[in-house]
Amino acid sequence: MAKFANVDDYIAALPEGLREIATALRPIVNAALPGSIEAMYHASPTWSAGAAAGKNLVCLVKAYTSYVTFALWKGQLVDDPSGRLEASAREMAHVKLRSVDDIDAALFTGWLEQARDLESVAAAR
């Protein structure tokens, strides 16, 4: 995927099905993380709890050929009774979204709030 200046451009360039997923997910993330910094970081849309883009990252959205990954930087530390989060590198965890129906706003909001709180504690150190 090409380099994009902002999240709007990234989402606009996605194929229709993936664009629908990212478009549906974005307001959930923004509502759960008021005051966060939404920006492109390492070629993916990210949301940071820190003072600048890339500082105290909470989550990212990354499109692949047939799905969109929604990942939490400290996702392995998030309580997930649904069992949907899959462990990734370091403390990260993610879920693969293949359609808008895979998005559970209440569940994702809970994850995001926990992940934000974990990053806020890290930022205070």
Side-chain angles (χ1 to χ4, degrees), residues 29-43:
V29 175
N30 286 327
L33 302 175
S36 66
I37 298 171
E38 177 191 86
M40 294 300 294
Y41 183 73
H42 290 284

Side-chain angles (χ1 to χ4, degrees), residues 79-82 84 104-112 114:
D79 182 37
D80 176 31
S82 74
R84 288 186 60 193
D104 179 330
L107 178 64
F108 287 24
T109 296
W111 291 343
L112 286 160
Q114 290 180 66

